[in-house]
Amino acid sequence: MLTSPTMTHIELEISNPCNERCVHCYRTCEGTKRGFLSAEQARSVLEQAKILGATSVTITGGESLLNSEWREIVQAADEAGFRISFFSNGSLMKESDADFLTTIKNLKEVQFSLYALDESVHDSITGFRGSCAGTKNAIQLIRERNLPLFVSCPVMKENKTAVLDVMRWCDDNGIASCADIFIFGDSDYSGKNLSHRLSWNEIQEFFDETMKDDGRLSYVWGRGHGKRDLHEIEFYGGAAHSLCVSGDGTIYPAIGWYEPLGNIATARLADVFCNHPFLQKLRTIHASDIAECANCDCADFCTFCFSPHITANHGELFKLDGEYCKFVHLRKQLAAQRDEILNKNKEVQ
């Protein structure tokens, strides 16, 4: 007897427009430029997602604060018992907005992207003068209220040295953060943002910088997951057990994977999630089914994130992004190099 799939997560792009034009942004699908989810629409989606088993929600954009009903949407998710991740660039956040977020009981995190402490570097990436000051102010507002905060630090040519100061500042202030070293391609498959991705030489230079001060920032290279059973890893799992609803109501597999599956105006979430042939196919594909993965010795360092592979291959399944695979191999190599250096330093001491 076949059992219905369980949804683990729902993503709401409540605002398609954004007030920033970040040079590296991968969310560039023609169909996601207009539209705002209403609170009524979001409430209906959340109710349907909960029935399907979803317990967490990402509320994002575009820029979330451009949606005039964003508070009502966050409140609806909270009242429904969802664990909430709220994403914003922070440039529009006011004290009253931060005060509102203190009323949300199930807030997992408020996440901002900070590209540099230097305003000229940050603003050159966002294309919005004053955006750095706005994001810094938003971070301060959230910190003052002791709300769960996460800072994302995408690394690219423009900020490859400046982002190190962001990482140190976050560490010094007890702010959870991550540095994303590999920029994914545009979701419209144009690859026009890839000119901002670090070269292999630049990644090596970045590694050298993280090793300074006794390897203070070398944690960014991570540690292996140990031996993994590839038969148990659903290669497209992040999309197979979640859905993304965009500002105009279009239903997609995931943020950045804009393969239309339907629209909430004409389709119920359960019908799309359980019965759409595309999602059914995704649930049958495991890492062991990908020949390159089955023969790879870096499975312990791979995140098995589908995004780079989808954007590099125009959405075609079973195909890998060779550049991302090279990055995983390099990351494992650099992590080993880090461990060797740090261990030698300990022996000397």
Side-chain angles (χ1 to χ4, degrees):
M1 179 178 177
L2 295 175
T3 58
S4 297
T6 298
M7 179 181 287
T8 58
H9 186 71
I10 184 73
E11 299 171 332
L12 301 182
E13 290 185 322
I14 66 172
S15 165
N16 279 349
C18 186
N19 61 327
E20 296 184 349
R21 297 290 180 270
C22 298
V23 296
H24 67 293
C25 184
Y26 64 91
R27 188 186 174 278
T28 54
C29 175
E30 183 64 31
T32 61
K33 290 185 176 180
R34 304 172 189 83
F36 299 93
L37 276 183
S38 69
E40 181 181 359
Q41 289 174 317
R43 195 172 289 110
S44 174
V45 169
L46 290 165
E47 289 173 356
Q48 295 176 63
K50 188 170 185 179
I51 292 172
L52 291 167
T55 58
S56 61
V57 59
T58 294
I59 297 176
T60 185
E63 171 46 41
S64 299
L65 297 187
L66 287 174
N67 187 322
S68 62
E69 298 185 42
W70 74 268
R71 294 190 187 185
E72 290 91 335
I73 294 172
V74 173
Q75 189 168 33
D78 193 42
E79 290 172 351
F82 283 86
R83 191 77 167 138
I84 302 166
S85 295
F86 182 72
F87 286 38
S88 167
N89 62 43
S91 63
L92 303 174
M93 184 165 284
K94 303 179 180 66
E95 287 206 18
S96 59
D97 298 326
D99 287 340
F100 163 75
L101 290 171
T102 65
T103 69
I104 303 304
K105 299 177 182 178
N106 297 301
L107 188 63
K108 175 188 175 184
E109 63 182 359
V110 180
Q111 183 169 151
F112 305 111
S113 291
L114 185 61
Y115 305 110
L117 299 180
D118 183 328
E119 295 186 4
S120 64
V121 176
H122 179 99
D123 292 358
S124 71
I125 291 172
T126 65
F128 176 23
R129 183 176 297 178
S131 61
C132 185
T135 300
K136 286 179 180 177
N137 178 65
I139 290 173
Q140 185 61 25
L141 291 174
I142 297 302
R143 291 185 68 208
E144 289 173 350
R145 289 157 179 77
N146 294 314
L147 292 170
L149 171 65
F150 191 91
V151 172
S152 175
C153 313
V155 186
M156 63 201 87
K157 292 181 182 295
E158 289 82 353
N159 70 339
K160 61 186 178 183
T161 55
V163 76
L164 296 160
D165 291 330
V166 177
M167 295 168 65
R168 282 187 282 264
W169 180 77
C170 287
D171 290 348
D172 290 342
N173 288 279
I175 299 172
S177 69
C178 74
D180 296 317
I181 304 169
F182 190 88
I183 301 298
F184 298 161
D186 299 86
S187 56
D188 64 0
Y189 310 136
S190 69
K192 60 182 178 292
N193 65 337
L194 296 184
S195 61
H196 305 281
R197 181 188 286 173
L198 296 184
S199 68
W200 304 121
N201 286 338
E202 287 171 325
I203 291 177
Q204 180 64 60
E205 292 169 0
F206 186 74
F207 170 80
D208 294 339
E209 290 295 321
T210 66
M211 291 304 299
K212 292 181 178 179
D213 301 322
D214 296 321
R216 177 181 174 183
L217 300 179
S218 64
Y219 60 80
V220 72
W221 304 104
R223 299 194 178 279
H225 301 282
K227 187 174 178 57
R228 308 167 85 179
D229 186 351
L230 300 188
H231 294 85
E232 298 294 325
I233 299 174
E234 292 185 18
F235 193 83
Y236 302 102
H241 296 284
S242 179
L243 284 177
C244 169
V245 178
S246 196
D248 65 354
T250 304
I251 304 169
Y252 299 108
I255 293 172
W257 193 351
Y258 298 122
E259 173 73 30
L261 304 175
N263 191 288
I264 58 173
T266 56
R268 291 191 57 78
L269 222 60
D271 292 334
V272 174
F273 181 72
C274 297
N275 302 322
H276 199 288
F278 186 72
L279 296 179
Q280 290 178 334
K281 183 174 183 178
L282 293 187
R283 296 180 188 120
T284 68
I285 303 172
H286 294 79
S288 57
D289 298 319
I290 312 293
E292 295 92 334
C293 294
N295 297 310
C296 181
D297 60 358
C298 289
D300 55 334
F301 262 80
C302 189
T303 61
F304 292 99
C305 175
F306 57 80
S307 293
H309 308 297
I310 288 300
T311 56
N313 294 291
H314 291 238
E316 190 171 345
L317 303 181
F318 290 100
K319 286 196 172 182
L320 299 185
D321 175 11
E323 294 299 297
Y324 183 72
C325 294
K326 288 180 185 177
F327 171 71
V328 173
H329 281 76
L330 179 59
R331 180 168 165 259
K332 181 174 181 177
Q333 174 187 324
L334 293 176
Q337 188 177 334
R338 170 205 58 198
D339 293 344
E340 182 179 356
I341 292 172
L342 294 180
N343 288 334
K344 283 183 178 179
N345 289 345
K346 286 182 181 179
E347 291 174 2
V348 171
Q349 294 173 0

